[in-house]
Amino acid sequence: SRSWFTWLVYRVTGAGLTYLDGSPQRMRRRGQGPALLLCAMMTTSSSLTPALGYSLPPPLSARPPAVVGQRLAEIDTPALVIRNKALEHNLCKVHELVQGMNVAVRPHGKAHKSVPLAARQVQSGCVGVCAAKLGEAESFLEGGIRDVLLTNQLVGQTNANRLADLAARHTSAKIAVCADSFEGVDELALAAEGKGMPLHVLVEVNVGQDRGGVEVDAAMPLAQYVVSKAPHLVFGGVQGYMGLNQHVRNRDERVKASQVVADKLKTVLKALDAAGVACPSVTGAGTGTFQIEAAQGVLTEVQPGSYLFMDGDYRRNEDFDASSEASFQHSLFVLSTVQTVSERGWAVCDAGMKALSLDSGPPQCLHKPHLEYQCAGDEHGKLVATSGDLGLRRGERLELVPGHCDPTVNMHDWYVYVDEHDLVTAVEPVSARGPGV
């Protein structure tokens, strides 16, 4: 028997998020704009649960940490919060930094995993978005994004079929995927043939990351193989991304490292041209190198992702200093509450390893640079003063800028947007979060 049956529908509007509850028969759109059915949640009691006197409650992820109109101090913590003004600055700044360089911006959606944020990026002038996993691509396409590049390889016929099915359901959208093996190309071709829907395939080139991709001299034969699979496959170009270059702190050293990538891609392009294979696009770069690689004249599009939020690790790049004209602003933080203040000079907040990714270092306390965050477990963070007094009180709210935004976002179910008056203007689901199936 059903223990509960809840439908949640969300519509993103200029005013924020609209919630509608009811049965499928009573679902109606209100106002203008597309409706996004986030989830239809139904649980069925197991045979043991009723006998033991228990029931299955709805997941906590169904409960947002805030509602529109609340103040920052009223948000349940820890919560993932976006500052509207800084977000708008970053949305515009990325285009300003590549103006006149003849490259398109295709931001990486793995940073935010959000359909509404992807839509705002497209509205700002981006050609489409990238997805790291098939599930992210599905979320973006189901939400209405019309141009998605899956910057990863799919393994197995099941996943290839899933991509082809996605393309068949969204015939007006452009869906592309990367490949680095003949077997992968065969799987994609078979899937596309089965659905009667061509798939765009880019050859992934290993430009030094050693995280997938074919070597430079193997790129042209694989591209020719993709071309030979027409009409089921369409050769979409090449991808060459070097993640290790993104956090080279000194800009001059980053420029030199990026030139190595450019030279490898030039070699690939020369081989393709000699073989008579047209290359529609050359895509790559990230937040740390997109302006550098755009200026080198090899890429036709760039893939910055973290620029939208500007995390703590990127801020440590010398040319990304907050005072730099080329800098993005911190728009994302984890809101946390001070739980305990010790007379011995330390405090504890309610954001630990379940709320913050620590792979790129601890978070920074926005507006409180004298505080140092130390991991204190799953649910706790310890704060000590590096100079002067701690200056904290029980119940005080802290804005923690994560060291790495992508995995931090993936820990949360909701975004809470606040304006310059610390008022909640919108609450939106992190629609593509999860392990990335």
Side-chain angles (χ1 to χ4, degrees):
S1 62
R2 294 177 179 178
S3 58
W4 55 272
F5 189 22
T6 307
W7 289 81
L8 300 176
V9 177
Y10 309 85
R11 181 169 63 81
V12 180
T13 68
L17 206 64
T18 302
Y19 304 82
L20 298 88
D21 296 320
S23 68
Q25 292 76 19
R26 298 206 312 271
M27 288 297 173
R28 295 290 185 273
R29 287 186 180 181
R30 298 180 184 176
Q32 302 298 316
L36 169 62
L37 180 63
L38 174 67
C39 54
M41 300 176 298
M42 181 181 73
T43 63
T44 303
S45 300
S46 69
S47 58
L48 291 178
T49 302
L52 296 174
Y54 300 109
S55 62
L56 296 175
L60 289 176
S61 60
R63 181 182 181 276
V67 296
V68 173
Q70 279 187 322
R71 299 197 63 81
L72 187 74
E74 299 173 313
I75 299 172
D76 289 342
T77 61
L80 198 62
V81 178
I82 293 177
R83 289 275 181 191
N84 293 335
K85 188 174 181 180
L87 182 73
E88 289 297 330
H89 169 86
N90 295 344
L91 283 167
C92 296
K93 192 69 175 180
V94 70
H95 298 287
E96 177 186 320
L97 293 176
V98 295
Q99 189 173 7
M101 295 185 186
N102 198 31
V103 294
V105 178
R106 181 185 295 278
H108 217 305
K110 73 183 180 73
H112 55 70
K113 299 175 179 288
S114 162
V115 171
L117 285 173
R120 294 179 72 170
Q121 289 175 317
V122 172
Q123 290 167 2
S124 77
C126 298
V127 295
V129 299
C130 298
K133 290 301 201 60
L134 186 50
E136 290 176 4
E138 285 176 330
S139 180
F140 293 142
L141 288 160
E142 295 291 349
I145 305 301
R146 304 262 58 88
D147 193 334
V148 178
L149 167 62
L150 182 53
T151 61
N152 213 333
Q153 300 83 37
L154 297 179
V155 178
Q157 196 60 54
T158 299
N159 282 327
N161 291 345
R162 190 172 150 199
L163 181 68
D165 182 66
L166 188 63
R169 296 201 312 270
H170 299 279
T171 56
S172 63
K174 179 183 177 183
I175 306 170
V177 64
C178 291
D180 65 356
S181 68
F182 291 96
E183 294 87 351
V185 171
D186 286 337
E187 291 165 353
L188 292 168
L190 183 60
E193 182 179 9
K195 285 293 181 180
M197 194 73 195
L199 293 174
H200 293 257
V201 179
L202 282 73
V203 170
E204 170 97 28
V205 180
N206 181 10
V207 290
Q209 180 93 2
D210 291 343
R211 196 180 64 182
V214 296
E215 299 305 316
V216 170
D217 58 357
M220 187 270 289
L222 186 58
Q224 287 181 314
Y225 193 62
V226 174
V227 172
S228 74
K229 295 295 182 178
H232 309 305
L233 300 184
V234 177
F235 177 58
V238 297
Q239 174 175 276
Y241 173 73
M242 181 57 169
L244 299 177
N245 289 350
Q246 306 309 312
H247 303 281
V248 175
R249 302 307 179 196
N250 179 269
R251 182 179 175 87
D252 290 340
E253 293 178 5
R254 210 177 323 131
V255 169
K256 292 178 182 179
S258 297
Q259 188 60 53
V260 174
V261 174
D263 291 342
K264 290 183 177 181
L265 290 174
K266 285 178 182 178
T267 300
V268 171
L269 294 177
K270 184 177 180 180
L272 291 174
D273 184 62
V277 178
C279 186
S281 69
V282 186
T283 184
T287 296
T289 65
F290 77 94
Q291 191 179 21
I292 294 170
E293 294 193 62
Q296 290 170 335
V298 178
L299 299 183
T300 62
E301 62 180 34
V302 290
Q303 303 176 6
S306 299
Y307 82 93
L308 192 65
F309 296 144
M310 193 55 192
D311 57 29
D313 195 33
Y314 269 117
R315 182 64 79 204
R316 288 192 282 273
N317 284 5
E318 293 175 2
D319 52 326
F320 279 15
D321 181 84
S323 62
S324 169
E325 291 184 3
S327 184
F328 298 104
Q329 296 179 5
H330 291 306
S331 65
L332 179 87
F333 58 91
V334 173
L335 184 68
S336 181
T337 302
V338 176
Q339 292 181 306
T340 302
V341 180
S342 170
E343 295 179 353
R344 293 192 288 127
W346 51 264
V348 171
C349 67
D350 63 357
M353 291 187 292
K354 291 181 179 177
L356 290 155
S357 176
L358 305 178
D359 65 295
S360 295
Q364 305 299 308
C365 295
L366 200 62
H367 311 306
K368 295 180 182 293
H370 70 290
L371 294 182
E372 178 183 280
Y373 177 100
Q374 299 173 355
C375 178
D378 291 349
E379 284 84 18
H380 301 93
K382 185 177 181 180
L383 300 155
V384 297
T386 57
S387 63
D389 295 330
L390 196 62
L392 293 176
R393 67 182 186 280
R394 180 178 178 273
E396 185 173 350
R397 297 302 175 97
L398 301 175
E399 299 178 28
L400 304 176
V401 178
H404 193 180
C405 60
D406 302 27
T408 295
V409 165
N410 202 47
M411 295 177 176
H412 295 261
D413 296 296
W414 300 89
Y415 284 115
V416 180
Y417 294 77
V418 296
D419 63 16
E420 60 270 28
H421 304 294
D422 286 349
L423 292 176
V424 176
T425 61
V427 181
E428 293 173 352
V430 185
S431 49
R433 71 168 297 272
V437 294

